[in-house]
DNA sequence: GTCTTTCCCGACCTTCTCGGTAGGATTAGG
DNA sequence: CCTAATCCTACCGAGAAGGTCGGGAAAGAC
């Protein structure tokens, strides 16, 4: 398996926030409400949302009637940023270190060009896998997921199942 | 991180075998030789190669001067098959179960359509990620990696780096 | 017919992360 | 001041990752 429940819960949390809209609308959602809606442990969600806040993806209001809201519009939140915030560096293998200098190139660095001359050929493979993951994450925005959840929510049988779409 | 060292070591092992050719050439390589060449623990490699054998990717000859060889030509070995043999089911999240009926479609099944109506919207995200990983693995064959390793091995400085070739 | 080299196989062991809990401190509304 | 919420740090059990150990069993070498 590739991702932990931090990613799963964190994304579900963001989707719940996305249903309420972003900063412009002012309404905040308490973690308790999200924990109840998604059947997730509150104390664990606290640690997850802290990562999202540190990454600047959500904002918080403390005190009574406080809660969280999206820091930007859901259409401006791409999933690669979310997953990195939740899981840390995105790398298919331990020896891969992604240095965040440029933004377009992956810039993977493998450091066990072991003893004799030849570098590890697995580098080619992991680079491709990383590319596949990154592109699929970058291509997905939060509001896509929000809309997907609302479609599945409101009318589960209305339109034809878009499996091949 | 996404894959374990089983995948890393197993792929390196296959590359070593790929350097010697497949069944047609008859030459086998002992695990000891591979362990020495790649600086990997022999006892651990034994358990890894057992998975590859069970998956029908390598063949073995026992006894003195025995060893392993590829069961098919390296160009016929795709990395998705290799990784599944080494790591087990390929799934980005615990709740994803890939049932091996058809071969073309991913066929992911998420089973926590929790309590009230709406299904988890993360399904859309994980499906895309899985697709990205699968396509990048399917697009890579073992002999690509073998040739990549030989290029890096024999002449690290001779000809201009054929990155775009 | 041993001997030795290899593959084969299961039990064990250590370390680390995952997933989660406990218990508080801080801030704000009523 | 009391309550509802965010914040913060420490702790903890289970399970997997990564690897070791020891003993087979086959098949060629001598």
């Amino acid at each position: 398996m590739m991702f932990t429940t931090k990613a799963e819960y964190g994304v579900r949390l963001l989707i719940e926030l996305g249903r309420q809209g972003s900063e412009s609308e002012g309404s905040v959602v308490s973690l308790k409400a999200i924990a109840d809606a998604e059947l997730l442990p509150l104390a664990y969600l606290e640690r997850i949302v802290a990562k999202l806040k540190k990454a600047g993806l959500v904002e918080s209001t403390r005190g009574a009637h406080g809660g969280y809201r999206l820091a930007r519009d859901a259409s401006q939140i791409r999933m690669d940023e979310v997953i990195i915030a939740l899981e840390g560096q995105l790398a298919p293998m331990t020896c891969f270190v992604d240095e965040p200098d440029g933004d377009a190139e992956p810039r993977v660095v493998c450091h066990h060009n072991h003893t004799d001359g030849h570098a590890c050929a697995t580098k080619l493979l992991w680079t491709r896998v990383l590319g596949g993951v990154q592109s699929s994450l970058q291509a997905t925005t939060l509001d896509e997921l929000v809309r997907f959840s609302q479609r599945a929510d409101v009318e589960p049988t209305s339109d034809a199942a878009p499996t091949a779409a």
Side-chain angles (χ1 to χ4, degrees), chain A residues 92 96 106-108 122-132 134:
Chain A
F96 260 50
R107 277 269 280 147
V108 289
T122 55
K123 182 174 181 175
L124 175 59
L125 179 61
W126 303 141
T127 303
R128 289 189 184 179
V129 171
L130 180 59
Q134 281 180 332

Side-chain angles (χ1 to χ4, degrees), chain A residues 21-67:
Chain A
S22 61
E23 189 185 6
S24 50
E25 310 194 25
S27 69
V28 296
V29 184
S30 77
L31 268 198
K32 180 72 164 57
I34 294 177
D36 288 347
E38 296 281 337
L39 300 176
L40 298 176
L42 173 62
Y44 194 29
L45 275 188
E46 286 184 353
R47 297 203 332 201
I48 289 171
V49 81
K51 289 171 181 283
L52 295 173
K53 179 175 171 141
K54 195 158 67 177
L57 291 166
V58 304
E59 293 172 343
S60 64
T61 318
R62 300 180 67 162
H65 301 100

